[in-house]
Amino acid sequence: MNENKEEKLAMRNIPGMRSRERFGEIEHAENAGAAVRHIVHYFIHEKTLVLCMLAAVIFGTLCGVYAPSLQSNAIDIIAGTNEGNLYKTLIMMLAVYLLYSVCQLLQGLFSAKLSQRIVKQMRGELFGKIIDLPIRYLDTHSHGDVMSRMTNDIENISTTISQSLPSLFSGVLTVIGTVSIMLWYCWQLALLSFAAVILTLLATKFLSGKVRKFSRKRQKLLGQLNGTIEEMISGYRTVVAYNHQDTIISDFCDTADSLTKAGIKTDIFSGVMGPVMNCIGNIGFVIIAAFGGYFSVRGLISVGVISAFIVYAKHFSRPINEIAQIYGQLQTAVAGAERVFAVLDEINEDNSGEILADEKAANITFNNVCFSYIPDNPVIKNFTLSVPSGKKVALVGSTGSGKTTVANLLMRFYDIDSGEIKINNQNIQNISRESLRQNAAIVLQDTVLFSGTVHDNLKYGNAAATREQLEKAVEMSRCRDMIDMLPNGYDTILTGSGENISQGQRQLLAIARAFIADPKILILDEATSNVDTRTEKAIQDAMQLVMRNRTSIVIAHRLSTIRDSDMIVVMNHGEIAECGTHDELLSRKGKYYELYMTQYAGFAT
């Protein structure tokens, strides 16, 4: 896969490509309204829980708004300005406050359950989406940034649903109820106390704009930081080997410093909302105390009403403060939701198409195939080749000549720009990717194993394989002795993508896994590059048996491994330079002769 990495590196070196690829920049218009509408669909699916939560919020708000009126009535009864039963009024106050507390509890329970259900659905959809994304997307986006959307961004949404939204609904209803009662008691005093609302709205507008700006920047930088960490961990050996620790630390610190600054500014503007709102609320208390006393002396209101106004003013200012603070949290959640939905809105890999005909033969034909990773920068040019069924064809050439790309196109990891690729006269563009890949197996130079037992990793190629088939494949791929040497044989747990075994052992398991798949088409991309010469010879002998009735494409740099191929295709800059058998190509003394003699002289190609 070295060649493929070179091709991707070329993509990243194009101006503007590297920053978008590495840091996962969102290339969609920032539209908070669209993100909110998208989230609403999740609430519709959980409408029962939403209704229960709203019922608890509404009933609790009514209790909270009604309780100060009972308090006002009790004070007036004590003062003698109002008639009534003080004992019954106090019992009623106690009951209302208890109901208010119960509603608060239910509100928390319902919102927490709603949050977890929505997040579970969203996380499931996002994971399923990532599985269905085209390989091109994952090749051109930072893996760390994609993981950040799955974890941090969704967690922000979860926190907002469980904590912020119920408080927002309750706050809005409390404001409406409080305003109504204050106007009913004394509209003059109510209007005077509402003067503080203007200051609240102005402060909220200014501060929320700052919070939205820096929260979006913080989320972007967090994804960038995760991408840097992921690259460092996956390429740690390379970093250490080239003594790039200081450079990596410097890049990390630069990103971390930017993230810290953005986080500090976000927290400052978000946190300052509370004190500012409290200050404005205190101004409202002063207004109520001064003018309430004046109205009481004039006989417009009673002392109990002044007491109720003070409580209502607190009820009024508290949700305003909460809404102001919640707004900052909502901005963070919306910024995260935009990033999540940016992935969900990507077009899935098209898996439609017909089934590959069930034939023993597998003739492969490339006809004037052209392909480019980047527009106007072709990697494959007018590639025409016929691979007869059951034959072994080797692709050779210098790094970057397009060998691995041919394999990627055959497996439909990427779709061609023009031309056609056929298997038994069926255009693979018309064959579903699932059907195509069920009939083909590929062994890559960069081995990928999964956490689990050796047995589980071997059966990854064919879940329905019997124990007899598995052992036969292990024997043919010369894995028997290696597996027997492991602590628990087939039941040995592989951790960290097989980090507890050698790279050569991982390569052997990958080859055995491909054999178990029993494919019509077998692609070996430098499959034996990580094993010793003796093991390679044994694997080559075994592969002759496996490839005898299969159409095989072998990509190799070590020309000694493909001398017995039915056809050797020499590629140069995405085109076929020459093709023929080993002896024929040597006799022509062309490009293949140069490659062979270079290796024969002891130099690497």
Side-chain angles (χ1 to χ4, degrees):
M1 292 291 284
N2 290 338
E3 170 199 355
N4 204 23
K5 292 176 183 176
E6 294 290 336
E7 291 158 354
K8 293 174 188 174
L9 184 60
M11 296 169 63
R12 299 180 185 182
N13 289 333
I14 292 178
M17 175 62 71
R18 181 171 174 79
S19 61
R20 290 196 299 272
E21 178 273 331
R22 183 175 179 182
F23 303 137
E25 181 180 328
I26 299 174
E27 299 176 8
H28 302 280
E30 295 173 353
N31 190 338
V36 171
R37 288 192 296 271
H38 208 148
I39 293 176
V40 169
H41 290 293
Y42 292 94
F43 284 96
I44 294 175
H45 289 296
E46 300 292 342
K47 57 185 177 182
T48 302
L49 266 179
V50 172
L51 292 175
C52 290
M53 185 187 73
L54 288 178
V57 169
I58 293 172
F59 195 71
T61 302
L62 290 176
C63 291
V65 172
Y66 181 55
S69 296
L70 293 174
Q71 176 183 314
S72 173
N73 189 33
I75 292 174
D76 286 340
I77 291 174
I78 294 173
T81 58
N82 196 3
E83 296 181 357
N85 190 317
L86 180 61
Y87 179 75
K88 289 183 178 179
T89 303
L90 293 176
I91 293 296
M92 181 68 72
M93 281 182 60
L94 178 61
V96 169
Y97 277 119
L98 285 175
L99 285 174
Y100 175 76
S101 299
V102 171
C103 289
Q104 290 288 322
L105 176 62
L106 292 176
Q107 173 183 315
L109 291 175
F110 288 137
S111 61
K113 193 171 184 179
L114 176 65
S115 167
Q116 293 306 311
R117 284 192 177 182
I118 289 179
V119 167
K120 177 184 177 182
Q121 182 181 354
M122 188 177 294
R123 186 173 283 127
E125 288 183 6
L126 183 59
F127 185 80
K129 183 71 178 186
I130 293 173
I131 292 295
D132 291 333
L133 283 174
I135 289 179
R136 181 187 291 272
Y137 180 90
L138 295 176
D139 279 346
T140 55
H141 288 75
S142 166
H143 296 174
D145 183 65
V146 174
M147 291 168 61
S148 179
R149 300 177 195 227
M150 173 70 75
T151 54
N152 296 315
D153 292 329
I154 288 186
E155 191 61 33
N156 285 334
I157 297 172
S158 173
T159 302
T160 300
I161 295 174
S162 63
Q163 299 177 12
S164 302
L165 284 184
S167 298
L168 178 63
F169 295 149
S170 176
V172 171
L173 293 176
T174 299
V175 169
I176 295 174
T178 301
V179 168
S180 301
I181 293 183
M182 290 174 74
L183 289 172
W184 180 72
Y185 269 131
C186 180
W187 64 269
Q188 298 95 331
L189 186 58
L191 291 178
L192 288 170
S193 62
F194 293 161
V197 176
I198 297 176
L199 294 176
T200 301
L201 294 176
L202 292 175
T204 301
K205 182 178 180 180
F206 172 77
L207 294 175
S208 62
K210 295 293 184 181
V211 170
R212 178 179 176 83
K213 173 184 176 182
F214 291 111
S215 65
R216 180 179 289 111
K217 184 177 181 180
R218 181 173 64 178
Q219 291 303 109
K220 177 183 176 182
L221 287 170
L222 184 60
Q224 178 177 328
L225 191 69
N226 286 339
T228 301
I229 295 171
E230 189 269 339
E231 285 185 352
M232 188 278 294
I233 293 175
S234 62
Y236 179 71
R237 287 184 175 85
T238 303
V239 171
V240 174
Y242 286 95
N243 292 317
H244 273 274
Q245 295 95 319
D246 292 339
T247 302
I248 290 293
I249 292 173
S250 177
D251 291 343
F252 176 86
C253 289
D254 289 342
T255 305
D257 288 343
S258 299
L259 176 61
T260 300
K261 292 176 182 178
I264 289 174
K265 290 179 180 178
T266 301
D267 292 340
I268 287 175
F269 285 109
S270 180
V272 80
M273 284 186 177
V276 169
M277 296 304 112
N278 285 333
C279 180
I280 296 174
N282 291 332
I283 294 174
F285 286 141
V286 173
I287 294 174
I288 292 172
F291 287 94
Y294 173 76
F295 290 147
S296 177
V297 171
R298 297 291 300 271
L300 293 176
I301 57 176
S302 65
V303 176
V305 171
I306 296 176
S307 173
F309 252 88
I310 292 175
V311 176
Y312 280 127
K314 184 178 180 181
H315 276 238
F316 180 71
S317 60
R318 178 180 57 79
I320 290 291
N321 295 343
E322 288 181 353
I323 291 172
Q325 295 179 23
I326 289 170
Y327 191 78
Q329 297 174 7
L330 289 175
Q331 295 304 318
T332 300
V334 169
E338 284 181 332
R339 287 163 46 81
V340 171
F341 296 139
V343 178
L344 291 176
D345 290 339
E346 288 288 334
I347 299 175
N348 285 350
E349 185 175 56
D350 184 11
N351 199 31
S352 62
E354 59 194 31
I355 297 175
L356 182 63
D358 186 13
E359 300 179 15
K360 291 184 178 181
N363 296 291
I364 303 174
T365 305
F366 296 84
N367 186 19
N368 293 322
V369 173
C370 296
F371 173 76
S372 57
Y373 291 102
I374 301 297
D376 301 323
N377 186 23
V379 177
I380 300 296
K381 311 166 190 173
N382 299 318
F383 186 83
T384 299
L385 176 68
S386 179
V387 183
S389 178
K391 299 297 182 180
K392 174 184 175 182
V393 173
L395 301 181
V396 301
S398 59
T399 299
S401 60
K403 304 184 300 296
T404 297
T405 300
V406 171
N408 288 339
L409 297 178
L410 179 59
M411 294 291 291
R412 286 197 69 187
F413 292 153
Y414 290 85
D415 282 332
I416 61 178
D417 296 336
S418 62
E420 60 181 6
I421 303 175
K422 291 184 176 182
I423 299 177
N424 296 335
N425 295 319
Q426 277 186 277
N427 193 324
I428 66 169
Q429 297 298 118
N430 300 326
I431 301 172
S432 71
R433 286 179 168 84
E434 181 180 1
S435 177
L436 175 64
R437 294 166 187 170
Q438 283 177 345
N439 290 276
I442 184 169
V443 180
L444 304 174
Q445 179 181 0
D446 297 328
T447 306
V448 177
L449 298 177
F450 300 94
S451 297
T453 65
V454 171
H455 179 270
D456 293 337
N457 273 274
L458 290 174
K459 291 197 71 174
Y460 202 84
N462 181 7
T466 64
R467 182 75 177 197
E468 182 181 354
Q469 291 174 316
L470 187 145
E471 291 182 351
K472 180 181 178 182
V474 166
E475 190 70 37
M476 294 178 69
S477 59
R478 301 301 190 265
C479 282
R480 169 69 63 193
D481 293 340
M482 183 270 288
I483 293 177
D484 289 341
M485 291 174 62
L486 295 176
N488 298 310
Y490 286 99
D491 296 324
T492 300
I493 300 294
L494 302 180
T495 59
S497 300
E499 290 296 331
N500 55 334
I501 61 176
S502 71
Q503 193 167 5
Q505 289 174 319
R506 294 198 296 269
Q507 196 75 53
L508 284 170
L509 290 178
I511 293 170
R513 181 173 59 190
F515 290 172
I516 291 171
D518 193 24
K520 293 181 181 178
I521 301 171
L522 183 62
I523 301 172
L524 303 174
D525 188 352
E526 289 290 329
T528 61
S529 61
N530 294 319
V531 297
D532 59 83
T533 305
R534 181 176 179 180
T535 304
E536 181 184 46
K537 180 62 171 62
I539 292 176
Q540 290 292 333
D541 294 339
M543 287 194 298
Q544 294 305 315
L545 298 175
V546 175
M547 292 187 288
R548 180 171 297 169
N549 298 318
R550 290 182 174 86
T551 306
S552 305
I553 295 179
V554 180
I555 299 171
H557 279 95
R558 283 190 273 186
L559 304 184
S560 59
T561 63
I562 46 90
R563 294 180 59 176
D564 59 345
S565 298
D566 297 299
M567 181 189 301
I568 298 174
V569 178
V570 184
M571 298 189 64
N572 186 37
H573 300 298
E575 298 178 300
I576 296 178
E578 56 183 352
C579 60
T581 64
H582 173 75
D583 294 334
E584 290 173 349
L585 293 175
L586 284 180
S587 64
R588 295 176 191 173
K589 294 190 176 183
K591 187 70 176 178
Y592 181 80
Y593 178 81
E594 294 176 5
L595 292 172
Y596 186 81
M597 294 307 295
T598 301
Q599 286 195 5
Y600 185 77
F603 296 100
T605 57

